[in-house]
Amino acid sequence: GTPEQQKIIEAFRCRQLLFSAANGSAHATCGAWKLLRALIDGERFFKRFQASMSASTQELGLNLLQNLLSSRVASAFFGSVQSLTHEGARRMWRDAQHCHRVPTSSIIGVIEDHTLPESLQMLSKVLVLQMDYSKHQDTQVAEEEAVAHPTGVKNANAAMLKKVDMKSAIQRTHHWSVLKEEVSFLQTKKDEQLAVFEAPKDRHIFPWLEVNARFGVIERVPGVS
């Protein structure tokens, strides 16, 4: 990078990944396939009306559909789905470059009956049915894919990231455990009884900071214990 960019990265000390989907998710891979099938089936459905509609009506419908699919919201949605597919993850890791001198820690969750919000039950069941390689997941990402290094690409950058991955114990939690007020409207009485959204939020950040500070990766301010 440029001297200015190198100066900025000098303060870079460590990485922390929360329930990382950087290796892709079966939700996105299968979702992209479902979207493609839906578009094909939609085209076949509307073709039957071509013989009974005027040319101007057909042009109006096509213009409306084009405006919808080319809108900012649609572009962001389709792009985000594609980036989370396994193929999208492989393309990202293939060309990625990361700093080699900083360690990576991560939080990986696996749900259980008493840690699964009712609002995520369908996502959890669908994810298990879509995967043939794992039964352990946090409702959106498989345990084996939430690691802090690439699993679908083998190159120098992937080997480096695997080497600096400090790994971590699996936690009994779900993908939305960092949230509270944001999902309050989705909470049910059962969720409140089981306190599925009441987990300490600081556990997602401060253990990572303390570990890196303990081993000198993050410098302590002089005079502060």
Side-chain angles (χ1 to χ4, degrees), residues 26-27 110-113 115-131 134-142 173-176:
H27 276 319
V110 171
I111 54 122
E112 296 175 316
D113 290 340
T115 60
L116 175 61
E118 288 194 302
S119 56
L120 294 178
Q121 286 181 354
M122 188 188 77
L123 282 176
S124 174
K125 299 296 184 183
V126 169
L127 182 60
V128 172
L129 291 174
Q130 291 175 152
M131 297 188 300
S134 177
K135 295 296 182 183
H136 305 291
Q137 37 79 32
D138 64 6
T139 73
Q140 295 178 47
V141 184
T173 189
H174 55 88
H175 199 83
W176 288 2

Side-chain angles (χ1 to χ4, degrees), residues 174-220:
H174 55 88
H175 199 83
W176 288 2
S177 63
V178 297
L179 305 176
K180 172 60 179 176
E181 290 79 7
E182 297 85 350
V183 293
S184 58
F185 67 100
L186 293 174
Q187 284 194 72
T188 64
K189 292 183 178 179
K190 181 180 178 182
D191 293 339
E192 294 177 357
Q193 293 172 356
L194 295 177
V196 293
F197 289 108
E198 300 293 339
K201 308 307 177 184
D202 57 358
R203 75 170 181 172
H204 299 91
I205 299 296
F206 287 100
W208 156 56
L209 295 176
E210 290 294 336
V211 167
N212 284 282
R214 181 181 296 274
F215 291 97
V217 178
I218 299 176
E219 297 88 350
R220 293 183 179 273

Side-chain angles (χ1 to χ4, degrees), residues 141-155:
V141 184
E143 172 191 339
E144 293 81 357
E145 293 175 335
V147 294
H149 60 270
T151 59
V153 170
K154 290 185 178 180
N155 55 27

